[in-house]
């Protein structure tokens, strides 16, 4: 029998991130994944700023950037008649290089850039997974069984017993784990085994993803090519986005309700959307369903769901993979705390209370983007026409597009979510800033992400968080009681004195207690009268 603290079903970006986060915290895990190689067909494409902050803690931020398009590539999103047709509207988004070199000037124009060390990273899921697998291969705390499947499992008061099968040979092994994480996708065996249903709007439409190579295409896109093109001409409605900033692309063809899909040659579909008879090599084709569904529960006492196993997205907005990695971070520190002995008996029960509302909000935001995108494809017949009639048609479409910044720069979704209703959070009766998809208000209010600020060149306040709880002190305040209460509970607590007036103003209170996931647990201008009660609450032992 295999004996392991944590068994992870699924080696997508969520399962791989969970294993790496657990290893960073000193916890062993075993990953079971049916695919021996990373799935070649790209799916998710955009790494959100909060995910990049989590990867920063793991030392993977620059490796994630390097796995994507060249750092010098602007990340513009362009609306056009056809890819090589007439440009209708452009969302300019700076390259990683431009962000590094001109951050202050860009932040003056786009305040959201100052909210994080990152802004937007264009790395597709397949190269991201290959990078994460490579990192895992260097870890001695992570075992992998690629080509194996979780066949069955049973939970008891002390742990989980799972049956594993090797697909190529039929060989079976039994595994005993303290915890099981189902990161095994939309058809999750863990979710099915727990008998948990999905609920929501369900299937919203139909789409086909065509992954192709076009060596000539990049040279035809002008001096500032985009990374994503929305083609609006009749019969070509969909999105083409780059995978490598060069020859590899994906065309997601969206079919309107009632629109016949037919059996048209995929290469002909691609050429029609591009608007030129270029040489095309089809690498893979997949039909897929845009959906909005969330699991009614996120697990049991020892079995948990994360990623697509508990929420299914439309890709409009780029929330799916990023929400799943957020699940993994929340789960990792809580599992580690329980295994290390300082996490309370109620700690893991907070996982659903914290993450399910995020899954609901984010899937609904993505579905709203999808609904609005459908209206964009209902374009005037004269969209491609020359002369005043065509100009007027394109101007009318362009006038509808600026609000779609919610689709491409949803900084409020990535950074503005909060856990204020969590049993682990101590509220302070202040009003929450509005949850706005495209605006982020930095705050140290309990439940929110602790704000980023530069302590020194290249060193963020965020770099103080992760290994355990962090107590930030701004000015004089008695904290001996808090420190002693944490010590008696064996809860790791690092104390950081910050002598910076601007950061003190940003953090709003003299004392701010931050969790291992970077969210504020409590704040105040003086220590609480009963520090032991506070420590017990934030570690799930109240």
């Amino acid at each position: 029998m295999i004996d392991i603290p944590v068994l992870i079903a699924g080696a997508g970006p969520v399962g791989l991130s969970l294993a790496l986060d657990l290893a960073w915290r000193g916890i062993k895990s075993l990953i079971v994944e049916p695919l021996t190689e990373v799935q070649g067909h790209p799916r998710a494409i955009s790494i959100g700023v909060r995910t990049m902050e989590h990867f920063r803690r793991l030392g993977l931020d620059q490796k994630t950037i390097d796995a994507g398009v060249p750092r010098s590539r602007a990340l513009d999103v362009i609306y056009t008649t056809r890819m090589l047709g007439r440009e209708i509207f452009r969302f300019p988004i700076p390259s990683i290089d431009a962000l590094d070199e001109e951050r202050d000037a860009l932040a003056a124009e786009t305040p959201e850039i100052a909210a994080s060390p990152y802004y937007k990273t264009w790395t597709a899921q397949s190269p991201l997974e290959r990078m994460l697998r490579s990192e895992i291969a260097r870890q001695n705390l992570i075992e992998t069984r690629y080509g194996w499947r979780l066949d069955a499992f049973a939970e008891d008061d002390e742990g989980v017993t799972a049956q594993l099968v090797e697909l190529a040979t039929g060989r079976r092994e039994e595994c005993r784990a303290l915890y099981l994480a189902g990161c095994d996708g939309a058809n999750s065996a863990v979710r099915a085994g727990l008998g948990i249903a999905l609920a929501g709007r369900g299937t919203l439409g139909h789409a086909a993803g065509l992954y192709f190579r076009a060596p000539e295409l990049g040279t035809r896109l002008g001096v500032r090519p985009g990374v994503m093109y929305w083609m609006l001409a009749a019969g070509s409605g969909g999105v083409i986005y780059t995978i490598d900033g060069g020859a590899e692309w994906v065309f997601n063809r969206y079919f309107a309700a009632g629109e016949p899909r037919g059996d048209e040659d995929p290469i002909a579909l691609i050429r029609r959307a591009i608007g030129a008879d270029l040489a095309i090599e089809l690498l893979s084709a997949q039909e897929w369903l845009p959906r909005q569904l969330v699991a009614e529960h996120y697990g049991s006492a020892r079995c948990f769901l994360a990623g697509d196993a508990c929420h299914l997205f439309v890709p409009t907005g780029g929330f799916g993979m990023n929400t799943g990695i957020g699940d993994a971070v929340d789960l990792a520190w809580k599992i580690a705390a329980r295994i290390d002995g300082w996490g309370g008996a109620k700690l893991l029960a907070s996982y659903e209370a914290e993450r399910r509302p995020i899954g609901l909000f984010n899937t609904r935001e993505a579905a709203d983007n999808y609904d609005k995108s459908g209206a964009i494809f209902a374009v005037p017949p004269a969209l491609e026409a020359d002369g005043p009639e065509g100009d007027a048609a394109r101007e009318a479409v362009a006038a509808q597009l600026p609000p779609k910044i919610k689709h491409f720069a949803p900084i409020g979704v990535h950074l503005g979510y909060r856990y204020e209703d969590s049993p682990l959070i101590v509220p302070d009766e202040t009003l929450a800033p509005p949850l706005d998809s495209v605006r982020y208000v930095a705050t140290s209010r309990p439940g929110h992400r602790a704000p980023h600020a530069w302590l020194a060149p290249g060193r963020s306040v965020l770099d103080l968080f992760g290994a355990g709880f962090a107590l930030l002190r701004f000015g004089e305040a008695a904290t001996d009681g808090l420190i002693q209460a944490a010590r008696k509970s064996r809860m790791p607590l690092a104390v950081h004195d910050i002598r910076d007036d601007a950061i003190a103003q940003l953090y709003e209170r003299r004392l701010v207690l931050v969790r291992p996931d970077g969210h504020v647990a409590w704040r105040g201008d003086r220590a609480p009268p009963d520090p032991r009660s506070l420590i017990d609450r934030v570690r799930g032992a109240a």
Side-chain angles (χ1 to χ4, degrees), residues 7 16 45 66 157 215 255 274 310 379 382 391 425 435 452 533 542:
L7 174 62
L16 297 170
I45 187 64
D66 292 342
D157 290 343
F255 296 94
I274 291 174
C310 56
V379 296
D391 293 340
I425 298 299
L435 183 51
H452 153 73
S533 294

Side-chain angles (χ1 to χ4, degrees), residues 153 187-196 305:
F153 65 94
N187 299 312
S188 170
V190 178
R191 189 182 68 238
L194 294 172
I196 295 174
L305 305 176

